[in-house]
Structures are given as C-alpha cells and as structure tokens.
Amino acid sequence: MITAQPVLEVHRLDGFSLWPAAFPEEPYVLLPLGADLSPAEVGAVVACLADAHAEAPGAEADPAAGTEAAPEPDGDPAGTFLRGLLAVGEDLHLAGGVRIADTATGAVVDPGCCHGLQEWGT
C-alpha cells in the first residue's frame, strides 16, 4: 500500500531548557506528524518553529512583509524565545513536506530541499 505522511524537519537546539522537548541525536531529522506525537516531540516542533522565526532584539519592522519590530528582551527567556512567532505575521513555516512510502516494498521517498509544503499554492 502507498502511504503519504506529513513530516517536519526538526533539529537539535543544544542547551534548550524552556520546556520538555525531545530533540533528535542527529543534526536534522524528518519527524512524522500524527496523533501519536509525544508531548516532548510537540515541544521540539514548537521550539524549532520558534527558533526558525527568532529575530534579534531591536530588529527592524518590515510592513511589506507583515512583520513588526522585535521588542527588546524583558527578562522572560520563554517570552523572548517565542516572540518571533508572534511577530512573523502570516509567513509562519517550518521545513518539511510529504513522505511517500510503499509498505509492500519498504521504499520511502522523503521531501527534498526547496520542495516544502509552504511552496504549494504560491
């Protein structure tokens, strides 16, 4: 049987301790999305998403892109880390795609570079 499953690219965030997160041992891994994700895997996805959209404190706003200026740190590490998610506007994304697998043969086709779901429909 041929199956299709969405996957997200997650990576290690060395020293991350803001909430429980199950980061992969390898630098980058495609994590299959589904109802069976553990809370720590969801934590890793949110951490990678926030990391992908982190902005330097005081970064300039880009109204054309729908982003606001990144506020200065306020002493709240989790708030500072997550602030990029709030300022990114509608362009919230994380690398990933659709993994196609043939359960009869064991063949698997993973999404490649520059073919993520965020490119679909544009």
Side-chain angles (χ1 to χ4, degrees), residues 1-7 98-104 106-110:
M1 174 167 67
I2 304 295
T3 62
Q5 183 170 30
V7 293
V98 178
R99 174 181 284 159
I100 307 298
D102 182 344
T103 59
V108 176
V109 178
D110 283 328

Side-chain angles (χ1 to χ4, degrees), residues 5-8 10 29-37 41 45 99:
Q5 183 170 30
V7 293
L8 287 179
V10 293
V29 170
L30 290 173
L31 178 68
L33 297 181
D36 59 342
L37 284 178
E41 288 172 322
V45 169
R99 174 181 284 159

Side-chain angles (χ1 to χ4, degrees), residues 48-55 81 83-85 87-88 91-94:
C48 290
L49 190 60
D51 182 58
H53 295 284
E55 293 187 20
F81 186 73
R83 199 159 277 122
L85 292 177
V88 76
D91 192 29
L92 187 65
H93 65 275
L94 192 60

